[in-house]
Amino acid sequence: MENSSLKRENAQGRVWLILAISAGAGLVTIWIPAGFVIVPALWAYTGARTKPAWMALPAVIYAVGALYFYTTIAALGMIVCTAGVSAALYYMQTKRVSNTYTVLTLAGIFLLGLYISVALPGVVSGDGAFAAVQSVMDEMIDYYREALSQSGSVNTEYASLINEYLDAFSEAVPTYIVPVLCVFSGVMGLGNLLFFRLFCRKHPEISLAPMQAFRLWALPRSMMLGLLLMLVGSLVMEWGGWAFSDSLGNTVNVLVGMPLLVQGLCVVDFLLKRSNKNVATLRAVVYTGVGVLFGLTQMPLILIGCFEQIFHFRRRVQTMPPRAG
């Protein structure tokens, strides 16, 4: 009897500890939005380790704090990014939904929440969806202009060229806001899935869909069909001269390019694993190089991912019979 009572007390203590950590992490995320990449996963883990209803406790504490420190609309977007993502993550993973579609769903919810926080205040006020972002960027540009004008070592021709670049950057801001939000949404969606699975790794009682090693990740054909249709649609709208074709084209390029880029990295990792050399060292060198030279490596990686999606290179290599000795 004493042992069972002690076990119940320990279990209750762990529950309250998990809840306290979840609530505390949520409060920190109010001031440090980078927490979005892990807090929903922590809340979903709370539901998986305790009861789904307990996920509401850190969510309510977070909502009260967000509403206190931010405007109602901005807080609403932040609540969508936390409570909405955690609920979807818990439900989809415990129902053993595909990891790919889980990430896509989480990224979509993140994009909705970020768009609400960034764009909806301007829509409601009548200033325009991205007026606040445009104002912040213009202030930064004005700061650089002033610094440039006060520098006595800059000749007139060079200063004129820099000002032209700054003008072009200012004009391009509205067309790149949504693509940038898509990038952040994708990163946070994938990050939360990986953190959730990391938290649950030592708890076999939490039944999740299996996940392959990173080098074997692959995009489902149904997903690529949808992305291809989006790409064709954006091209048709661009050729038709639609007013928002530039913004839509940039957004579609990100939506198509990001999954293929990740798949390209998976193919590279697959080849590193088969190299029969010091894989850890090779990975460190290659991934560091990709990060430092990302501007140069992103297109080759996308092309590798596209090649893999068409020809299924990894599957062919794995099914090849061994060479005769």
Side-chain angles (χ1 to χ4, degrees), residues 63-297:
V64 172
L67 289 168
Y68 180 81
F69 286 101
Y70 297 94
T71 64
T72 302
I73 296 176
L76 175 62
M78 296 170 68
I79 293 168
V80 169
C81 287
T82 49
V85 170
S86 63
L89 178 58
Y90 169 81
Y91 177 82
M92 298 185 75
Q93 282 292 285
T94 55
K95 296 299 181 181
R96 300 175 66 85
V97 176
S98 162
N99 294 304
T100 300
Y101 289 111
T102 298
V103 171
L104 290 176
T105 302
L106 301 185
I109 298 173
F110 268 122
L111 181 59
L112 174 63
L114 292 175
Y115 190 86
I116 290 173
S117 296
V118 172
L120 198 55
V123 173
V124 173
S125 66
D127 295 331
F130 306 125
V133 178
Q134 185 73 62
S135 176
V136 171
M137 299 306 297
D138 286 343
E139 287 181 5
M140 293 177 57
I141 289 172
D142 290 340
Y143 171 80
Y144 285 116
R145 289 188 198 277
E146 183 177 353
L148 185 66
S149 63
Q150 293 178 355
S151 176
S153 59
V154 179
N155 60 53
T156 305
E157 184 178 351
Y158 179 74
S160 177
L161 180 62
I162 294 297
N163 282 318
E164 288 181 9
Y165 282 129
L166 292 176
D167 289 336
F169 178 77
S170 177
E171 293 175 0
V173 166
T175 64
Y176 283 99
I177 292 176
V178 175
V180 169
L181 294 181
C182 288
V183 171
F184 281 119
S185 299
V187 171
M188 291 189 295
L190 178 59
N192 273 279
L193 173 69
L194 296 178
F195 275 117
F196 176 74
R197 297 187 68 93
L198 177 64
F199 296 151
C200 298
R201 185 174 60 181
K202 295 184 179 180
H203 301 281
E205 71 276 9
I206 304 175
S207 179
L208 305 176
M211 174 178 281
Q212 292 184 315
F214 177 70
R215 65 183 180 276
L216 299 177
W217 286 8
L219 301 176
R221 289 188 177 183
S222 57
M223 175 182 171
M224 289 308 302
L225 178 60
L227 294 177
L228 179 61
L229 291 175
M230 291 173 56
L231 183 61
V232 172
S234 70
L235 290 174
V236 170
M237 291 181 181
E238 184 176 354
W239 292 335
W242 190 51
F244 301 101
S245 60
D246 290 342
S247 179
L248 178 64
N250 292 331
T251 302
V252 171
N253 288 339
V254 169
L255 294 176
V256 174
M258 280 186 64
L260 291 175
L261 188 149
V262 173
Q263 183 158 272
L265 277 174
C266 296
V267 174
V268 170
D269 194 73
F270 177 83
L271 295 174
L272 293 176
K273 182 67 176 179
R274 292 179 62 88
S275 64
N276 295 325
K277 297 179 181 179
N278 191 331
V279 178
T281 302
L282 275 176
R283 280 174 172 161
V285 172
V286 171
Y287 290 159
T288 300
V290 168
V292 172
L293 303 173
F294 184 74
L296 298 175
T297 58

